[in-house]
Amino acid sequence: MHIGIELYDKPNDNMIIHRHRLLMLFFAFLFCPFWASADTSDMVKRGFDLAEQQYERLYKHHTDLRKYPRSADAQGNTSFTDIHDWTGGFWPGSLWYVFEYTGADKWRDAAMKWTKSLENNQFNTSHHDIGFVMNCSYGNAYRLTGDTTFKPILIQSAKSLLTRFNPKVGAIKSWNTFPSWDGKHTYQFPVIIDNMMNLELLFLASKLSGDPVYRNVAIQHAETTLKHQYRPDFSSYHVINYDPNTGAVLSKETAQGFSDNSAWARGQAWGLYGFTVMYRETKDPKYLTAAVKMADFYTQHPRLPADKVPLWDFDVDQPGFVPNWDYHKTDFQDIPRDASAAAVTASALLELVDYLEPEQQQAYLDVAEKILRSLGSERYSSKVGENGFFLLKHSVGSIPHKGEIDVPLVYADYYYLEALTRWNDRIHQSTASLMQAWKTMNAHKAKALADFQQQKFGLFIHWGLYAIPGGIWDGKKIEDLGSPSVAEWIQLVAKIPRATYAELAPKFNPQAFDADKMVKMAKDAGMKYLVVTSKHHDGFALFDSRVSSFNVVQATPYQRDIIQELYEACLRHQLDFGVYYSHNIDWRDGSDAQYAVTKARNDLINAKTDAFGANRWDPSANSFAAYLNEKAIPQVQEILQRFPKLKYIWFDMPGLMTAEQSFRFYKTVYEGNPNVIVSERIGNGMGDYAIPGDNRIPATMETFAKPWEAIGTFNHSWGYKSYDHDWKEVDELRYWLLEIVSKGGNYMLNIGPDAQGQVVPEVKRNLGVLGRWLRTNGEAVYGSSPWIIQHDGPTTVQITDTEQREREGFHAKFTALDFWFTQKNGFVYAMALHPPADAQVKVPAIHTGQGKVTSVEILGFGKVDFGQDDKGLHLQLPKQVQDNTLGYALKIKFA
């Protein structure tokens, strides 16, 4: 390759920086002044809108995978390089950023195709820019897909880079030789400041391989660079020439800058970026100090233009700076700017601020924002269809080499998109900022949450295609296939392919389903609200969705909208209505629930990744981002539009959801209907009410900062399980209700209709009995709050989870001395499941130490005589109450 191309600076890819940027989001972040500034999302959107339009044209016009877009000539014709050039990774890297922003699979597919075209470069030892080439392409691919087949490619790329390391010098050789501009010397071991950008690949390789050799070389190179390549003001020399045998410095020169002692703008950007990465990877404070001084050199330079896009060299035509190359001032009407140096600097500053105290951050953020706004302006941004289909104008390759002067450059685009991505993350992905926005929206739901707390008792319905197998697949019970053993998880446990599972849809024809009867059953049971699975983990919707045809109306012979019918029935019977929606898990369309991507990130910090619930046996071909954009979010919007009087959305299984993704669902719900409340299983602390666990009653000492709801099954499965007949009896149901209500929670009891839409007789019978008890005693339940004592009596039961109940059964024997307490409107209520055999009631908790009782009423009967002493409250049950085997409730008034 001739020197005019080879010597152009060589930007190493900082793709993997994002791995760490994402990790940072779980911990720290931003400070008030930044969030008080004007909305900058328009700046980001404008940049990526242009990228989509330009790259759509470039991608369609250019299909030769052997040629990589690099620049354009004065007429706007795109110029290309081959696989050996140092810039090859920036084109697929830019496509990866567009995919990251849009979530559109067409950009993922385009980026993947161009990335894979570079695979042979993993063995390239001819130049130091293997980091730029492979980290920008394969590094981003690994970060955004988690594809483990890319790990050995990245490790081999780092091995190839190590072949250029000389321990005597303590640095990685950049070019093979360097002829000085004065023509007197040809140096054998040149090291350029650009090489700081390639060190990130080495750090990544150590993480992927567990071998510290790559990391150690990166540190040695940085130490050598910091020692010899920087002046006291932290401007950098472009090239340091070393003696390969002794490590001695032979000369300090420039190749692409104005003069040997000048500050070449892109070189300043490379160093700032590289030493910021060094601090991130090592946490050595000297690297942070160096990066800050480099940032100050740029941001505070007296010759930095007002738009913060620098001249190609800070010292052009300044006294004391003499070029050794053939320079003619008259060749330039104006000193060229370098948009690529500005883009790299903006991206570097947006990582650097994450490591600084709040009072230090704002100045750098202001500069980064100014750069991005300038680059997004008409002066620097292309018109659609022009400029070789690149994004930015006015970059400089190498003026001394008389090449690529005032043209678009692919690496300018790359770092511009990277900087926009980082800015976008600061706006949308900071956990602290998201939680503040969440709190604002949550505060507006105070009345809806207060109403929810008054309801106390609701019906949960799990129903879908899984009712057809009923917990059995290919003649095997789900327990014999694996876990979990709840019937609605049959597709995961049996590893049923998506196409095979879809064959259940033509068999789903529940002719016995009657929405009105089901809602009336709930109403008669004393329930105040109903929540039904609109879409469970299998991806099948029980409503007519325009977004996905895999639904009850379009994919089954039933062709009726079950959710619509239940909604209308609830309105008729005055039950609040809610839907369950599995947002993170969708075995049909949700890919692998972003498991691979999350694992790739976690592997870098030796953190475990929980794959529970993810489809890893037959994931859909689309990306998880596309699933969110094209199915999950649109379906939630559909639900909000279709059911305007909806009260609840019960999201479930947040699993690997990021804070930004959970917030996106929360914001979608809020914008659709600000009065709809969502369960905590939206993830990342962004639910409006808490869920203690499946089939779990919280212990007495547990407290909740939010309203809470305990959920439980009627047997041991949420969906219909044909062979599980261990139904909760009336006493167990009443125990659950009283135990939960006395602690201040709601109880949502689940049923799983069979494939015909029927509810088993035992469920209907027990709900009917419970309803009769509530019609008499509901005053002590609905709208109540906990008293100072929740339960008093000899019987204690601990319910921890579904497995415990299934394993141990329910054997509690409640006595006449077991009472549960609530309070409301100045009254205390004491509820007993069974009357005493001799009709003599004693309530030890209501002793005189609690205060003087002035009246006692038995709900459903009336006031009765009583006595009170330091042993408790005493009274005799009337025969009418004594004969009621369902027990009674006392309404007690204190003075």
Side-chain angles (χ1 to χ4, degrees):
M1 181 180 300
H2 79 76
I3 196 167
I5 297 294
E6 184 182 14
L7 287 185
Y8 296 172
D9 48 307
K10 310 170 179 188
N12 132 262
D13 163 32
N14 293 286
M15 301 313 248
I16 309 309
I17 224 171
H18 291 304
R19 245 180 274 284
H20 308 280
R21 166 172 46 77
L22 289 174
L23 293 173
M24 286 293 295
L25 298 175
F26 292 120
F27 299 103
F29 260 41
L30 295 175
F31 53 99
C32 296
F34 180 74
W35 296 108
S37 64
D39 179 24
T40 52
S41 57
D42 64 312
M43 177 176 78
V44 176
K45 185 177 186 302
R46 188 164 55 248
F48 278 101
D49 284 350
L50 177 63
E52 286 202 86
Q53 294 179 79
Q54 289 287 81
Y55 291 172
E56 184 88 36
R57 289 165 170 79
L58 181 53
Y59 182 76
K60 288 182 177 179
H61 281 77
H62 173 57
T63 58
D64 187 347
L65 293 175
R66 298 168 299 175
K67 299 295 182 181
Y68 301 87
R70 171 163 171 157
S71 184
D73 61 21
Q75 288 72 46
N77 299 309
T78 310
S79 61
F80 302 93
T81 58
D82 63 25
I83 193 173
H84 303 293
D85 187 57
W86 72 275
T87 64
F90 294 118
W91 168 234
S94 296
L95 296 173
W96 280 120
Y97 279 127
V98 177
F99 164 65
E100 183 172 8
Y101 179 79
T102 65
D105 281 350
K106 68 177 183 178
W107 295 113
R108 178 195 63 169
D109 296 342
M112 188 70 79
K113 181 169 72 171
W114 279 98
T115 294
K116 289 183 175 180
S117 74
L118 290 164
E119 183 174 351
N120 285 340
N121 246 319
Q122 65 183 299
F123 304 107
N124 188 346
T125 61
S126 64
H127 62 71
H128 70 120
D129 288 312
I130 191 71
F132 278 132
V133 176
M134 302 304 281
N135 207 16
C136 292
S137 55
Y138 276 94
N140 269 325
Y142 179 63
R143 176 175 66 86
L144 292 172
T145 69
D147 188 335
T148 56
T149 63
F150 299 150
K151 291 169 67 173
I153 295 173
L154 287 162
I155 294 168
Q156 177 56 51
S157 300
K159 287 180 181 178
S160 296
L161 182 55
L162 285 196
T163 65
R164 303 183 68 83
F165 177 70
N166 182 326
K168 288 271 183 66
V169 177
I172 297 168
K173 186 178 183 180
S174 296
W175 302 318
N176 293 329
T177 59
F178 171 59
S180 61
W181 281 113
D182 61 14
K184 297 178 181 179
H185 304 282
T186 296
Y187 295 102
Q188 300 304 311
F189 203 97
V191 175
I192 62 175
I193 191 63
D194 320 36
N195 212 346
M196 286 298 300
M197 299 291 284
N198 292 295
L199 304 184
E200 192 171 32
L201 174 64
L202 299 181
F203 283 110
L204 176 60
S206 276
K207 292 169 186 169
L208 296 179
S209 66
D211 189 341
V213 63
Y214 308 103
R215 172 188 175 88
N216 293 340
V217 167
I219 293 172
Q220 289 181 67
H221 182 96
E223 290 290 327
T224 301
T225 300
L226 193 58
K227 182 178 180 180
H228 297 302
Q229 210 131 2
Y230 278 89
R231 309 176 183 109
D233 64 355
F234 274 83
S235 63
S236 69
Y237 293 98
H238 184 198
V239 188
I240 303 293
N241 294 296
Y242 294 94
D243 184 324
N245 298 313
T246 66
V249 173
L250 302 177
S251 71
K252 299 184 178 185
E253 306 191 23
T254 194
Q256 292 165 258
F258 183 69
S259 65
D260 290 342
N261 60 334
S262 70
W264 173 52
R266 191 157 58 247
Q268 295 303 126
W270 293 147
L272 168 60
Y273 197 119
F275 279 98
T276 300
V277 170
M278 288 302 302
Y279 178 72
R280 178 234 294 161
E281 296 296 343
T282 67
K283 293 299 180 286
D284 188 327
K286 70 171 173 285
Y287 297 136
L288 181 61
T289 299
V292 168
K293 289 180 177 180
M294 294 169 200
D296 288 344
F297 179 88
Y298 184 103
T299 62
Q300 299 174 21
H301 201 285
R303 289 188 291 279
L304 180 67
D307 64 5
K308 309 303 181 186
V309 179
L311 311 178
W312 70 277
D313 190 301
F314 284 97
D315 300 311
V316 175
D317 296 331
Q318 296 300 309
F321 299 91
V322 180
N324 291 326
W325 49 283
D326 185 20
Y327 172 66
H328 302 281
K329 184 176 181 178
T330 55
D331 289 346
F332 304 100
Q333 183 175 355
D334 297 302
I335 299 174
R337 302 288 192 89
D338 188 2
S340 71
V344 174
T345 298
S347 187
L349 290 173
L350 289 172
E351 182 180 11
L352 178 60
V353 294
D354 290 342
Y355 310 133
L356 302 176
E357 295 300 319
E359 61 271 14
Q360 298 176 278
Q361 296 175 327
Q362 191 62 53
Y364 294 155
L365 286 167
D366 288 344
V367 173
E369 180 180 353
K370 182 64 176 177
I371 289 172
L372 292 178
R373 286 202 177 279
S374 296
L375 296 181
S377 69
E378 290 185 3
R379 177 172 183 178
Y380 294 97
S381 279
S382 305
K383 290 183 179 179
V384 174
E386 298 181 359
N387 202 35
F389 307 121
F390 292 97
L391 308 184
L392 297 181
K393 301 179 287 187
H394 306 312
S395 289
V396 169
S398 179
I399 286 181
H401 294 94
K402 296 181 171 55
E404 298 180 329
I405 302 172
D406 195 26
V407 294
L409 290 171
V410 67
Y411 47 90
D413 281 14
Y414 174 85
Y415 288 104
Y416 175 51
L417 293 176
E418 179 180 82
L420 288 176
T421 300
R422 290 180 171 182
W423 189 275
N424 196 47
D425 288 339
R426 297 190 73 82
I427 295 171
H428 297 294
Q429 290 187 311
S430 160
T431 302
S433 66
L434 294 177
M435 288 308 300
Q436 187 56 48
W438 172 83
K439 287 177 182 177
T440 300
M441 289 184 279
N442 171 260
H444 290 143
K445 300 183 182 183
K447 184 180 185 304
L449 284 166
D451 291 344
F452 171 70
Q453 279 187 294
Q454 306 305 306
Q455 304 289 60
K456 299 305 177 188
F457 194 27
L459 180 66
F460 211 179
I461 302 175
H462 275 65
W463 197 28
L465 299 182
Y466 41 81
I468 296 173
I472 299 174
W473 193 260
D474 282 343
K476 294 181 179 179
K477 294 180 179 180
I478 192 170
E479 291 85 354
D480 299 325
L481 295 169
S483 66
S485 60
V486 284
E488 69 280 3
W489 282 66
I490 190 73
Q491 186 180 3
L492 177 143
V493 176
K495 301 295 184 289
I496 305 169
R498 292 178 301 117
T500 303
Y501 188 84
E503 293 172 3
L504 292 174
K507 303 174 185 176
F508 190 73
N509 193 17
Q511 294 298 315
F513 171 67
D514 187 320
D516 207 68
K517 286 183 179 179
M518 193 168 288
V519 171
K520 191 171 185 305
M521 177 187 72
K523 177 85 170 180
D524 291 344
M527 294 166 166
K528 299 295 185 182
Y529 61 99
L530 179 151
V531 175
V532 59
T533 50
S534 64
K535 178 188 79 90
H536 205 265
H537 307 326
D538 59 2
F540 178 77
L542 288 180
F543 63 97
D544 187 11
S545 173
R546 298 184 304 274
V547 174
S548 168
S549 62
F550 193 48
N551 68 67
V552 68
V553 174
Q554 299 176 50
T556 79
Y558 191 58
Q559 298 183 355
R560 283 166 49 187
D561 192 318
I562 288 171
I563 303 299
Q564 183 71 42
E565 292 183 18
L566 285 169
Y567 172 73
E568 292 173 356
C570 282
L571 294 182
R572 284 193 298 273
H573 292 283
Q574 298 181 317
L575 256 66
D576 285 350
F577 182 76
V579 296
Y580 168 110
Y581 189 89
S582 178
H583 61 327
N584 182 49
I585 302 296
D586 188 309
W587 297 323
R588 179 177 176 84
D589 300 308
S591 186
D592 67 347
Q594 66 189 353
Y595 167 76
V597 172
T598 307
K599 187 176 187 302
R601 185 173 68 239
N602 287 347
D603 284 351
L604 295 176
I605 57 172
N606 295 318
K608 291 183 179 180
T609 304
D610 187 357
F612 182 64
N615 183 347
R616 297 174 62 199
W617 68 93
D618 180 31
S620 55
N622 61 310
S623 64
F624 186 74
Y627 157 70
L628 293 181
N629 290 341
E630 297 167 16
K631 183 176 183 180
I633 292 293
Q635 278 193 332
V636 171
Q637 291 169 331
E638 274 187 318
I639 288 167
L640 293 161
Q641 293 163 2
R642 290 270 310 275
F643 311 116
K645 294 186 178 180
L646 186 77
K647 293 295 182 73
Y648 321 113
I649 293 187
W650 217 97
F651 292 113
D652 193 20
M653 285 291 295
L656 303 175
M657 278 277 174
T658 67
E660 191 275 337
Q661 289 164 347
S662 293
F663 180 78
R664 185 180 178 192
F665 277 101
Y666 191 90
K667 189 168 183 284
T668 297
V669 173
Y670 187 84
E671 290 174 344
N673 185 339
N675 295 315
V676 171
I677 61 174
V678 303
S679 71
E680 74 170 3
R681 293 189 185 176
I682 193 172
N684 294 288
M686 294 180 188
D688 295 313
Y689 59 97
I691 309 295
D694 289 3
N695 279 309
R696 179 177 180 272
I697 300 176
T700 301
M701 68 288 298
E702 288 185 65
T703 58
F704 297 88
K706 302 174 183 179
W708 59 276
E709 174 185 73
I711 57 173
T713 53
F714 228 111
N715 52 356
H716 304 302
S717 180
W718 302 91
Y720 174 71
K721 186 186 280 189
S722 59
Y723 52 90
D724 180 358
H725 308 299
D726 186 12
W727 308 108
K728 288 181 173 63
E729 295 295 339
V730 174
D731 267 9
E732 185 175 359
L733 292 174
R734 287 195 300 159
Y735 162 75
W736 271 76
L737 180 61
L738 296 188
E739 186 75 10
I740 291 164
V741 168
S742 69
K743 293 174 178 176
N746 285 12
Y747 177 33
M748 187 160 69
L749 174 61
N750 179 81
I751 62 171
D754 66 16
Q756 289 299 312
Q758 301 173 112
V759 179
V760 298
E762 292 89 341
V763 168
K764 291 190 283 189
R765 182 191 66 233
N766 293 350
L767 285 178
V769 175
L770 186 57
R772 290 197 298 275
W773 182 87
L774 278 167
R775 281 192 287 278
T776 299
N777 301 291
E779 180 184 334
V781 173
Y782 307 120
S784 66
S785 60
W787 188 48
I788 57 174
I789 298 172
Q790 281 80 55
H791 170 255
D792 186 32
T795 308
T796 59
V797 183
Q798 186 177 18
I799 305 293
T800 61
D801 51 53
T802 303
E803 290 73 20
Q804 180 221 10
R805 169 63 179 82
E806 186 171 16
R807 182 177 62 251
E808 300 176 6
F810 188 84
H811 305 294
K813 300 296 183 182
F814 300 107
T815 72
L817 290 175
D818 284 298
F819 291 93
W820 287 263
F821 301 92
T822 59
Q823 62 178 335
K824 181 173 68 176
N825 298 331
F827 292 93
V828 171
Y829 297 87
M831 293 168 280
L833 295 182
H834 297 288
D838 59 1
Q840 299 300 311
V841 172
K842 177 182 178 182
V843 189
I846 311 294
H847 54 78
T848 50
Q850 299 286 7
K852 182 180 180 182
V853 173
T854 59
S855 70
V856 176
E857 177 183 344
I858 300 176
L859 296 182
F861 178 82
K863 290 187 176 181
V864 294
D865 294 333
F866 65 92
Q868 186 191 22
D869 55 29
D870 60 357
K871 303 293 186 185
L873 181 72
H874 308 273
L875 59 91
Q876 181 171 339
L877 289 179
K879 187 175 188 320
Q880 174 183 340
V881 178
Q882 171 68 15
D883 292 342
N884 186 349
T885 58
L886 291 179
Y888 59 94
L890 304 177
K891 181 178 181 180
I892 302 163
K893 181 70 173 178
F894 285 91

